[in-house]
Amino acid sequence: MLRTVKPKNARSKRAMQAREPKEVEDPRTAIFVKGTHTGEKVNVVMKEMMALKRPNAISFAKKNVVRPFDDASSLEFWAQKNDASLFVVGQSTKKRPDGMTFVRMYDNRVLDMCEVGVENWQSMAEFKTPKSTPGNKPLMHFASELFDTHPRFIQLKSMLMDFFNGEVIDSICLSGLEHVISVSLAPTPSSLNSAGAADALGAGTSSDAQSELKSLPKAHVRVYTIRMLASGTRIPRVELTPMGPSLDLALRRHTDADGEMWKQAMRRPKLRKQEVESGLGKKRKNLEVDEMGDLRGRIHVVKQDLGKLQTRKMKGLKGARMDAAAGEESDVSMDDEADSQRRKRRKGD
Amino acid sequence: MDVSDILAAHAAKQKAVTVEKDIPLQVDAGFLTVTDLNPVDAESYSANLEDYLISTARDGVQALIGALFSLPTTPSPDGPLARLPTPTTQLPRAKPLPKPKPPTKWEQFAKAKGIQHSKKEKKVWDEEKQDWVDRWGWKGANKQLESQWLTEVPANADINHDPSKVARDERKARITKNEKQRLGNLARAQGTSSSAAPAPLAERKKELDRTLAVTRKSTASMGKFDRTLEGEKKPKGIKRKFDPAEVSATKETSHNLAILSKLDKEPVTKKAKKSSADGPPGGDNVLNVRKAIRSASKGKGSAALARDGAKGKGKKGRR
C-alpha cells in the first residue's frame, strides 16, 4: 500500500483531488504491460490497440514478471500508482501462445479478467486507407446473439465497451464521428444454441472446460472508418472502409467479478434535479415525437371557473352599495336556510 | 395532383438509410454502441469473411447513425452537437461513489433549526469612500474600527485604553475561534469516517491524570526533590476505606454466613485443582494415585517401581 499523504501545496492538492472518486467518472486509463515473454505479434497488436486507446493509455516498456491469474498484487500497485483502472497484459507461452489479458479494476482491486489469444491479425499499416484522428471517440458495433446470452461474451462486450467507449458524455459532435470498432463472432456452434446450452450447463465439469473453450466461436475485431454520404434525408448514408488493425481473437481463461464487489461497482449516483428536469433520468411525461419529427406535448387544463369570468361592466350591475345596506340580514337568513336543508338531508341518509 | 412520384422518391431515399433485420438492432446511443442480435449467417460467413463482416458492420452503423442523427441537437461553432441520452448499458464503475461530505457542527445545527443558508456578498458598500470594499482581507471592512481616526471611548475607560488595539484583539480572537472550530469539524469528520470512536473527555482526563501521577513518582527520589511547578497540586494518595461500624442486622448475618460457608469447604488451591483433573471424571476419588506411587516407590517414581517389580520376577525365574 502507498502512504496516504496530505498535500503540501495547492498543485499537489489539485492533483490529488483529480484522483478522488467522482460522480461522473473520467475515461478509464489503460496500462499496457508486457509479460515475461511477448512475441512480435503481441507486441505490435498491443502497440496498435494503444494507438486506438490514446491518450488514455500508458505503456510499460520493460518486461514484467506478472501472472494476473495467479497473483494480482503488482497490478493493484500499478493501478494505484498510475491512477489506471484497465490493464492489457501481453504474454506468450508455449501453452498459451500470443495471449492478451484484459483486466478491469474497481477501487484499485481486480474486478474481472478475460484472456484472449490473438490468432490472425493485420496491422494498420497494411491497409492503405485514411485513418481516424487519434483520441477520437469510436462507435462500437457488436454482432452475434451470444452477446446477449452467453456469460463469456457478455463479459467480453462489457470489457471492450469499457476499454474503448466507457466514458459517459452528454453530447457529441455528429460530424466528428470517424471510425467504428466492430466485434463480430463466428457462427454460433450447435452446442451453444439454446438446446445445447442447457446440456453444457448440466455437465459443468473441469474436463469439459477445455472442450468448451474450443467450442466458443472466435471474435473478429475490425476497425473501419466511416464515410457519410448525402442521402437526401436528414440521416446520411454510411459507407465503411477498413482502417485496421483487424484481429481474430479466441477466448481463453477468465475470472468473473466477485459478487459483492460487482454490486458495489454497479452502484449509480442519484440523479441531480437539473438532470431529471432535462429529461435524462426519467421519462418525460406527456411529450412525444411524432412521425414528422416534431415534438408534441399534451397539456391538461384545469376546469375553468366561469363564476369569475369578467363580463361586460355596466353601471346597473354595480350593486356593491345596495348590497352593503340590505345584504346583512338577507345573508344570515339565507345561511340558516342552507344549514337546515343540509341537516334534513343528513337525516334522510 | 399526383404525389405518388414524390412519395416513391421519398421511400427510395428512406430505403437507403433504413436497416431491415429479423431482430431489430439494439442501439445504446449514450455509449455510441449498437448490438446486432441476429444469428450469424454461416453460409456467407464462410464464403467471404471480410465482406460479410463489413456488410453487417455497415448495417449496424447505419442504424446507430440514424439513431444519433434523430437526437435533439444544439448548435455549436464546430457543427451540431447531438444531446445524448443516458446509456442503457450498465458498466461497472472504476472507483466507488464519492462519499458525501460530513456536515459541520453549524450545518447540523442549522438543519435542526431550519435555518437556511444565505450567501453573503464578498463586497460591501463603503459610504465614506463611496466604493465597494471587501468584507475582509486586505483593506477589508472588518478593520474599519482599528483604522478610523476617531473612536468613542467609554467614560470609565482605563488610562491605557487603546480602542484600536481592543478592536484588533477582538478580531484576532474571532479568527482563532473560527480556526479552532474548523479544526474541530475536521477532527469530527475524521472520527466519523474511522471505526474507532475517540474516548469520552472524562475518560481521557482520568487517564492523563494517572499518567501524570506515575511520572511524578518515577524519579530516583520518588519525586521527593522534584521542583514543583506553579499551581501544581500535591498528588493524592489512596485513601483506605472501612465498612461502617454500625450496619443493619440482616446485613451482618448474611456477611457472617458467607464467611461460615467458606470455612466449610475445602480451600481451592492449585494442587487440588490439578489432582482432580488427573483423577477419573465423575465422583470424588479417595485414592490420590500420584501420592500413592510416590510413597510406594519411596519417591523414585512410577518407572522405578515398574523396573523393581520386573527384576524380582526375573530372579525368581532363574532360580
Side-chain angles (χ1 to χ4, degrees), chain B residues 53-92:
Chain B
L53 291 180
I54 205 167
S55 69
T56 46
R58 198 214 79 82
D59 286 350
V61 172
Q62 181 71 65
L64 178 58
I65 291 279
L68 289 177
F69 272 79
S70 50
L71 288 172
T73 55
T74 47
S76 81
D78 300 326
L81 291 180
R83 285 238 323 272
L84 296 177
T86 40
T88 50
T89 317
Q90 299 264 300
L91 291 180

Side-chain angles (χ1 to χ4, degrees), chain A residues 83-336:
Chain A
D83 192 30
S85 59
L86 273 175
F87 283 92
V88 180
V89 184
Q91 176 94 310
S92 189
T93 59
K94 198 173 179 184
K95 194 176 176 188
R96 300 188 182 87
D98 306 323
M100 282 199 303
T101 313
F102 289 86
V103 185
R104 193 157 42 168
M105 315 288 284
Y106 167 72
D107 197 13
N108 296 327
R109 284 171 295 156
V110 170
L111 183 70
D112 57 351
M113 292 190 272
C114 175
E115 190 183 31
V116 292
V118 181
E119 297 197 339
N120 302 318
W121 81 282
Q122 274 182 298
S123 86
M124 254 189 230
E126 281 176 50
F127 297 95
K128 305 291 180 203
T129 48
K131 311 287 179 225
S132 70
T133 320
N136 214 336
K137 207 167 160 63
L139 305 181
M140 300 277 298
H141 169 250
F142 293 91
S144 175
E145 76 272 25
L146 289 181
F147 283 122
D148 203 33
T149 52
H150 199 277
R152 288 299 309 270
F153 290 104
I154 292 171
Q155 188 200 24
L156 182 72
K157 182 187 168 186
S158 157
M159 193 75 97
L160 289 176
M161 274 180 77
D162 234 345
F163 194 84
F164 291 111
N165 225 352
E167 192 190 7
V168 179
I169 49 173
D170 56 347
S171 61
I172 193 161
C173 181
L174 290 173
S175 52
L177 300 173
E178 286 184 3
H179 63 304
V180 57
I181 296 170
S182 159
V183 185
S184 322
L185 297 189
T188 313
S190 58
S191 62
L192 287 180
N193 281 339
S194 54
D199 294 347
L201 281 178
T205 54
S206 60
S207 61
D208 283 349
Q210 282 296 328
S211 62
E212 205 184 302
L213 268 185
K214 285 266 166 57
S215 75
L216 290 178
K218 269 192 228 168
H220 303 284
V221 181
R222 300 284 180 271
V223 185
Y224 304 111
T225 45
I226 303 171
R227 275 186 300 146
M228 294 192 218
L229 310 173
S231 70
T233 58
R234 198 183 161 186
I235 300 164
R237 187 179 160 74
V238 174
E239 294 291 340
L240 301 182
T241 326
M243 168 184 131
S246 59
L247 313 164
D248 290 354
L249 304 174
L251 288 191
R252 288 186 190 154
R253 293 176 289 176
H254 81 294
T255 47
D256 276 328
D258 175 47
E260 183 56 36
M261 204 195 272
W262 183 259
K263 216 168 114 191
Q264 291 281 326
M266 294 306 275
R267 277 191 175 172
R268 303 288 123 190
K270 269 186 196 164
L271 281 171
R272 267 164 277 142
K273 197 183 168 196
Q274 191 191 351
E275 284 170 346
V276 173
E277 273 172 0
S278 70
L280 281 177
K282 280 180 199 159
K283 203 183 164 210
R284 284 187 291 177
K285 273 171 111 180
N286 305 338
L287 286 178
E288 57 184 1
V289 179
D290 66 1
E291 285 172 3
M292 297 301 287
D294 292 336
L295 186 69
R296 294 177 70 183
R298 201 160 7 111
I299 301 169
H300 296 275
V301 184
V302 290
K303 201 174 179 185
Q304 200 175 2
D305 186 9
L306 290 172
K308 282 180 184 169
L309 190 69
Q310 179 65 60
T311 49
R312 194 167 169 183
K313 289 175 184 170
M314 280 187 290
K315 212 168 194 180
L317 291 173
K318 261 191 195 168
R321 213 176 298 145
M322 271 161 62
D323 276 5
E328 293 286 343
E329 279 176 49
S330 67
D331 272 357
V332 171
S333 66
M334 287 259 284
D335 277 354
D336 278 354

Side-chain angles (χ1 to χ4, degrees), chain B residues 93-306:
Chain B
R93 291 177 64 87
K95 282 171 191 174
L97 280 175
K99 287 196 186 88
K101 212 173 141 197
T104 62
K105 202 161 186 182
W106 162 251
E107 279 167 354
Q108 275 173 4
F109 177 76
K111 201 186 167 198
K113 291 281 180 187
I115 301 167
Q116 284 191 345
H117 177 72
S118 59
K119 201 170 157 60
K120 256 189 195 175
E121 290 294 322
K122 216 206 151 193
K123 299 261 188 190
V124 284
W125 179 253
D126 194 335
E127 281 291 337
E128 241 171 75
K129 287 179 194 163
Q130 287 295 309
D131 196 14
W132 291 96
V133 290
D134 281 344
R135 199 182 282 274
W136 72 88
W138 189 59
K139 289 186 175 174
N142 61 343
K143 287 188 254 331
Q144 219 170 27
L145 275 181
E146 298 159 34
S147 56
Q148 64 192 1
W149 63 278
L150 185 66
T151 312
E152 199 179 334
V153 175
N156 57 352
D158 196 39
I159 302 167
N160 300 327
H161 181 76
D162 181 357
S164 72
K165 189 182 176 296
V166 169
R168 185 186 146 82
D169 286 350
E170 272 174 10
R171 183 170 59 84
K172 288 287 175 193
R174 279 199 301 274
I175 291 170
T176 45
K177 183 185 168 217
N178 187 277
E179 181 62 13
K180 208 177 133 194
Q181 285 177 333
R182 189 183 69 86
L183 291 176
N185 280 327
L186 270 183
R188 217 168 294 121
Q190 285 277 319
T192 49
S193 67
S194 69
S195 57
L201 203 68
E203 211 168 286
R204 258 169 46 208
K205 191 166 185 291
K206 216 174 178 182
E207 201 175 303
L208 255 179
D209 282 345
R210 207 177 299 138
T211 320
L212 186 66
V214 170
T215 44
R216 281 170 77 177
K217 275 214 161 185
S218 306
T219 57
S221 63
M222 305 264 280
K224 197 170 184 187
F225 297 111
D226 277 11
R227 238 187 323 166
T228 49
L229 298 172
E230 203 178 318
E232 200 173 27
K233 279 176 196 161
K234 215 177 154 191
K236 275 186 200 163
I238 299 160
K239 254 195 170 175
R240 290 205 294 164
K241 275 182 185 167
F242 298 100
D243 286 337
E246 287 175 29
V247 284
S248 66
T250 49
K251 228 179 207 176
E252 202 173 351
T253 43
S254 69
H255 191 229
N256 286 341
L257 278 172
I259 292 172
L260 270 177
S261 66
K262 259 186 208 165
L263 289 177
D264 198 24
K265 276 187 209 154
E266 284 265 334
V268 185
T269 56
K270 227 180 181 178
K271 231 179 214 175
K273 263 188 194 167
K274 209 174 184 181
S275 66
S276 72
D278 285 345
D284 43 349
N285 44 342
V286 183
L287 180 69
N288 190 337
V289 182
R290 265 184 42 221
K291 210 167 185 177
I293 289 170
R294 201 164 62 206
S295 72
S297 66
K298 286 167 189 156
K300 280 176 188 168
S302 60
L305 198 69

